[in-house]
Each structure stands twice: as C-alpha cells, then as structure tokens.
C-alpha cells in the first residue's frame, strides 16, 4: 500500500528509525496492549486540541462510531453528514445504528454547506457530523450555532485535519467530540489508529468504557462495549509522529504555497476566511471532463495523483436511494477534483515538476 513505482508518489508515509525503535522498545517491554504508551500518547495529543480529554482507539472509524454511541445516538436517529467524504463518515453512523442524511457541500472548500445542513434537519435529527475535508476546517462558526438552535450534538470528523484551525481554534474542540485518524497516509499516523477529543469528562469516561468491553476495572463490566483499543506499539509510533507533526504541517503549507504560485490555468485550493488549512490533500478542480486525461498524463510523467472521491457516498451501493434530493455541488466536485502530491518529503524540484506538468497538461488551452 505504501510503495509506488512513481518518482513522485501521491503520498509517502514515513516510518523512520525513531518509529521503528519505538515499536521495538514496546515489543521488548512485553506490554503491548493499551498501556503506558497509549496513556502518554493521549496526554501528548491533548496539546494539539487545547488540553481536551483524549481517548485513543484502533481507527478513525471507531472514533466516529464510539462518539455517536457515547452520545446516545443510535436506532431511530438521523445524523446530517456530507456525502463528499470517505465512506467511513457514513459507515460510522450506520454502525452506531443511526441513519446518515446527506447534505451538499460549499464549492471551493468542499466542506458541509451550513445552509444545506440546515435544510437536512428533520424531527429525527440527533447530530451534525461535519468533515474537515482535505485538512480544511468546516464552517464551524455557522454549524455550531445551527446545532445549538436545534439542540443537536456535533461530532467533528477531523480524520484528515490534524492541526487545522478556524479563527485560531483547533478542529476537534468545537463539537461534543472530535475524531482523528492515524491511518498511514494521514498527516501523522500510528500504523492504524484513531483519537477522540472531548471537553466533557463524563463523555470521555463512557468512551473509555466503550472501547474496552465496558470495563474500567477488569471483569467489572459496566456497560456493553467493544474491543476498539489501541495497541502500545501503535501509540509509540504515534508519539514519534506527533513530535514531527508541527514541522511536517509547516512543510505541507509551504509546499501548497509554492504550488499555488506556480500552477497556471486551473483553480488552486481555496482557503476560507480565518481557516488554517493543513493540506492533507492539495486538490485542484479540473473542469470539462479533462480530469482523467490529466491524471493519466501526470502518471506518464511519474507524478502520482488521486481522486478523493470519485463516487460520493450517497451514490455508493449501501446508501443509494433514488428518492433522495440531488446534491449538485457534491456531484460536480466528484467529477472534477484531483489531489496532487503535497507531502512533506517533496523537494523544490518536485514541486516545480508537478506545477509545470499540471499547468501544461491541465491548464486552459
Ligand atoms: C474523512 C475521513 N473519515 C473517516 C476516516 C476513517 O479513518 P480510519 O481509516 O482510521 O478508520 C477517514 C480515513 O480514512 C477519513 O478520511
């Protein structure tokens, strides 16, 4: 999954000596499941999210599912989500027993449109689940008041947005819960893993019970829970990655700036007022059905790229419903987006090559 024959791959997950040594240290210690490394990782991650309580789990999907369950959201409830996201966003809702209701996005930021979200709210709606897609914060300044007006919970899908912020406030600190992923291609990883952030100590306790069979004390199960624990090996790798996150984020942002200034003929990513974009993806829009040809040409030149996401969730088999209202901005985005390499291991020469290739092959003729 991590290998690539392209000279500039779309993503390049780092597993350096520090991560390897950390993993070996834990393996040698014999304490490999949710022990001191997980506790330390939670403590250290809280610095990124204004000292919120942090609960580590085995994936971002688990983080989303457990957050909904801990908030009491399940059968009979609806959760408003964008369709323009990875399927995990909606899967987590279904896995919790609730039903996702898809709302359209704002063109440009590709995040949940607050007006569309408002229109999707009905009598069964229990929560909003905005996604900070590509590392750009969703419009939380509009979505939080909307949720408050309707008495809804907010679970942030921050799986792609470690360190992103809106008006100086970090993602993962707006809603009742924030959910991060540590999948290898994310801005930082833990091999696999997830983190839930919350200001509410009672919610944090419920989350800790839910991830571990409902137990705080061994064999004194208080509620029905799952096994969604993070291993200490994963946490040790995550701690090493977390140390490097600030520098990597600055590199991503600097790389994006270079691409912004060099790419000609195509709209570069937009950044909303007050948003700190952390460029999990650097995504251009390629109009007029030229996207696939551009992607092929980039591949021919050894440059990786990717389409996130070619099929919006509402068109995927488990969610397809012909009676659902159309989502025109979502469909437009799915047909046009192309994510270019922006990862921190790129050099100046790589960035020049990418920008030249994109401007020449994809720009207006
Ligand atoms: C927007 C979004 N939500 C949820 C997830 C699920 O995270 P994970 O793969 O760690 O389960 C991902 C990552 O793949 C994602 O990109």
């Amino acid at each position: 999954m991590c290998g690539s024959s392209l000279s500039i791959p779309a993503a390049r997950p780092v597993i350096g000596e520090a991560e390897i040594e950390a993993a070996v240290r834990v393996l040698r210690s014999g304490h490999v499941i949710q022990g001191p490394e997980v506790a330390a990782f939670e403590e250290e991650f809280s610095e990124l999210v204004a000292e919120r309580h942090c609960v580590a789990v085995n994936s971002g999907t688990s983080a989303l599912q457990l957050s909904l369950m801990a908030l009491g959201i399940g059968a009979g409830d609806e959760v408003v989500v964008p369709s323009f996201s990875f399927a995990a966003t909606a899967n987590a809702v279904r896995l919790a027993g609730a039903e996702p209701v898809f709302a359209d996005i704002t063109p440009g930021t590709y995040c949940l449109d607050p007006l569309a979200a408002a229109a999707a709210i009905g009598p069964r709606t229990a929560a909003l689940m905005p996604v900070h897609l590509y590392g750009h914060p969703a419009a939380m300044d509009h979505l939080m008041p909307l949720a408050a007006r309707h008495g809804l919970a907010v679970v942030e899908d921050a799986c792609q947005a470690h360190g992103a912020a809106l008006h100086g406030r970090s993602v993962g600190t707006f809603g009742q819960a924030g959910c991060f992923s540590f999948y290898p291609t994310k801005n930082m990883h833990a091999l696999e893993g997830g983190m839930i952030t919350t200001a509410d100590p009672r919610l944090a306790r419920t989350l800790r019970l839910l991830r571990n069979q409902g137990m705080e004390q061994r064999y004194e199960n208080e509620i029905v829970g799952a096994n969604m624990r993070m291993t200490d090996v994963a946490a040790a790798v995550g701690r090493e990655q977390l140390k490097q996150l600030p520098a990597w984020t600055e590199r991503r942002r600097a790389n994006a700036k270079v691409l912004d200034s060099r790419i000609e003929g195509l709209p570069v990513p937009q950044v909303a007022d007050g948003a700190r974009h952390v460029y999990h993806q650097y995504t251009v829009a390629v109009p007029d059905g030229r996207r696939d040809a551009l992607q092929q040409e980039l591949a021919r030149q050894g440059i990786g790229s990717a389409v996130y996401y070619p099929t919006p969730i509402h068109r995927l088999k488990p969610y397809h419903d012909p009676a659902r209202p159309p989502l025109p901005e979502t469909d437009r985005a799915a047909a046009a987006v192309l994510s270019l390499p922006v990862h921190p291991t790129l050099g100046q020469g790589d960035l020049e090559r990418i920008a030249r290739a994109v401007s020449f092959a994809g720009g207006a003729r």
Side-chain angles (χ1 to χ4, degrees):
M1 180 218 61
C2 299
S4 171
S5 58
L6 298 163
S7 55
I8 307 180
R12 192 182 272 143
V14 173
I15 301 179
E17 281 311 308
E19 285 85 346
I20 292 167
E21 278 170 26
V24 169
R25 170 168 49 78
V26 173
L27 289 170
R28 286 198 200 288
S29 79
H31 195 151
V32 294
I33 306 293
Q34 198 180 274
E37 293 288 337
V38 168
F41 187 30
E42 291 175 338
E43 185 68 33
E44 289 159 10
F45 196 83
S46 72
E47 283 176 33
L48 194 67
V49 285
E51 309 299 331
R52 296 293 195 266
H53 303 277
C54 290
V55 180
V57 289
N58 60 353
S59 74
T61 311
S62 298
L64 293 166
Q65 182 189 342
L66 286 198
S67 295
L68 293 169
M69 289 169 67
L71 288 162
I73 296 167
D77 293 326
E78 292 179 350
V79 179
V80 176
V81 301
S83 169
F84 196 58
S85 181
F86 183 47
T89 304
N91 286 347
V93 176
R94 279 266 177 93
L95 288 168
E99 192 54 29
V101 173
F102 298 105
D104 216 347
I105 53 169
T106 304
T109 69
Y110 302 112
C111 292
L112 188 61
D113 173 359
L115 286 178
I121 293 171
R124 288 169 177 267
T125 309
L128 305 181
M129 194 190 271
V131 179
H132 306 300
L133 198 75
Y134 302 152
H136 187 290
M140 302 311 291
D141 42 354
H142 296 283
L143 292 167
M144 291 309 296
L146 174 68
R149 274 202 301 283
H150 292 269
L152 307 177
V154 175
V155 174
E156 294 172 65
D157 183 338
C159 284
Q160 302 187 355
H162 316 67
L166 186 62
H167 300 299
R169 185 166 171 179
S170 299
V171 301
T173 67
F174 289 91
Q176 278 72 25
C179 299
F180 294 82
S181 164
F182 302 123
Y183 181 75
T185 57
K186 299 296 194 251
N187 288 22
M188 61 167 285
H189 72 81
L191 308 175
E192 282 266 24
M195 191 73 81
I196 308 161
T197 60
T198 180
D200 178 352
R202 288 182 49 191
L203 192 71
R205 181 165 191 276
T206 306
L207 289 162
R208 290 181 201 286
L209 291 174
L210 283 171
R211 75 173 168 186
N212 189 31
Q213 310 287 4
M215 295 187 290
E216 184 172 288
Q217 301 299 326
R218 213 168 202 205
Y219 306 134
E220 292 182 18
N221 307 60
E222 299 175 38
I223 57 173
V224 174
N227 172 4
M228 292 184 178
R229 295 179 299 255
M230 179 180 274
T231 67
D232 259 26
V233 177
V237 170
R239 293 179 70 195
E240 290 304 326
Q241 292 263 313
L242 185 58
K243 286 182 203 161
Q244 302 171 80
L245 182 70
W248 284 342
T249 303
E250 285 322 307
R251 270 251 63 85
R252 282 180 183 274
R253 286 166 53 80
N255 290 349
K257 224 175 188 171
V258 173
L259 292 173
D260 282 352
S261 67
R262 300 282 203 284
I263 289 177
E264 289 170 15
L266 283 179
V268 296
Q270 285 181 25
V271 182
D273 246 12
R276 175 179 152 86
H277 194 331
V278 294
Y279 295 99
H280 172 55
Q281 301 296 341
Y282 182 95
T283 304
V284 294
V286 191
D288 311 326
R290 289 187 284 130
R291 191 253 319 271
D292 296 354
L294 172 58
Q295 187 172 28
Q296 278 163 22
E297 175 55 22
L298 293 177
R300 201 188 60 76
Q301 296 188 34
I303 299 169
S305 61
V307 177
Y308 305 112
Y309 296 89
T311 308
I313 306 174
H314 74 285
R315 294 192 178 281
L316 296 173
K317 195 170 156 204
Y319 299 103
H320 189 60
D321 172 4
R324 187 171 280 130
L327 302 172
E329 295 303 341
T330 295
D331 284 334
R332 245 192 294 281
V337 290
L338 187 65
S339 295
L340 306 172
V342 72
H343 47 85
T345 62
L346 296 172
Q348 185 70 22
D350 297 326
L351 294 165
E352 302 280 355
R353 242 180 87 194
I354 297 162
R356 227 181 1 257
V358 170
S359 305
F360 187 71
R365 303 148 197 200

